[in-house]
Amino acid sequence: MKIETECIHAGIDADPATGAVMTPIYQTSTYKQEGVGRHKGYDYSRTANPTRSALETCLASLEKGAFGLAFASGMAAIDTVLRLLSPGDHVLAGNDVYGGTYRLFEKVLRNFGLDFSYVDTTELDQVAQGLKPNTRIVWLETPSNPWLTITDISAVCGLAHNQASHPLVVIDNTFATPYLQRPLELGADLVVHSTTKYLGGHSDVVGGALVGKDLALRERLSFLQNAVGAVPGPMDCFLVLRGIKTLAVRMERHSQNALTLARFLEKQQNVAHVMYPFLGLSAQVAAARRQMTCGGGMVSFVLKDGQVTAHRLVERTRLFTLAESLGGVESLIEVPAAMTHQSVADSPLAIDPGLVRLSVGLENVDDLMEDLEQALA
Ligand SMILES: Cc1ncc(COP(=O)(O)O)c(C=O)c1O
């Protein structure tokens, strides 16, 4: 199936009990057993739930993986991956990972004896130099949050998989979604999602997911999923499944609107610099065009007058709502240094306080442009 069809049909069968076309919300914690240990594949909903199974199958199919696992949040999914490691293991991460990822690595997991270092993963020689004999995971975000940098996934996988320690290459694919980019096909071992964002698509659910291709890895991760228990409820799984049905059309329009606004912002006097994966002619844009089908819905820009102007701008938009998060049908605006990425303040990953991030929604692009124009003025 092509991805547009998979978004609607993958993992979805009419309910065998009633014929319901939409996946039922199996709001149950437990399941009747016919005899001791004899059941229909479900015994307790932390371990497995039919609504969650439908979502997990759908995600595996979209990312071209062999398995999917759903979690209560993106952070819960990320935390579960890191529990594969033991004290003394090293993680090499991009130096512009999501602030919450950095916080988990530095303020929580470092206390458990894991070692983390950060490099500019868009520079392959920095990745090569950053790999250590005890590196077990290479952690990438591409496009990254909020700088929208692009890392060449195949090239990094080539470097990592040549290492004797054979680290797992894990890609946070939240910004691109499998509609725009499928890292497992480019050599990655595992994909992470905050399904809160584009997969859910309507700012009405918090969730996370992992998708991989190696069934031995599935065993270890699904053991952790059950042992740790950071699982989503069936209602949340239903909402993500429903969001995914329109992923293809949404990502097309998000990308069209975002590119138009990025080009508009480039021409504004008070804007110093615009970041968008498909804007310009740099090596990163070339990599984006190789591994993504469109640029996605996120645009970041730096204002010439810095923090004060950035704060004034985001408080003056009328259609763009000042709020954290991204990936919903409505347009959002924020200042990462003071909002989503506060946890990296005073660290080497600190964000320029004059950087503004847009999550470009599905409104008419002329209305969005007018809104930015009046706020910039
Ligand atoms: C790229 C990225 N990864 C992971 C997360 C964490 O996801 P969640 O908020 O669902 O825990 C976020 C949240 O903003 C994110 O932007």
Side-chain angles (χ1 to χ4, degrees), residues 15 20 22-28 31 45 49-52 54 233-242:
D15 177 44
M22 286 300 119
T23 310
I25 301 160
Y26 284 92
Q27 194 73 48
T28 184
Y31 306 80
S45 278
N49 171 284
T51 319
R52 194 172 99 209
M235 179 72 192
D236 289 351
C237 294
F238 172 85
L239 286 171
V240 178
L241 271 172
R242 189 172 70 163

Side-chain angles (χ1 to χ4, degrees), residues 93-97 99 102-103 106-107 110 116-120 146-147 341-352:
N95 64 3
D96 55 353
V97 290
Y102 178 78
R103 178 175 55 198
E106 290 300 317
K107 305 245 168 84
R110 204 177 262 288
F116 298 90
S117 56
Y118 304 87
V119 295
D120 177 354
W147 286 104
H341 288 65
Q342 241 182 341
S343 50
V344 297
D346 305 323
S347 83
L349 277 68
I351 309 291
D352 184 328

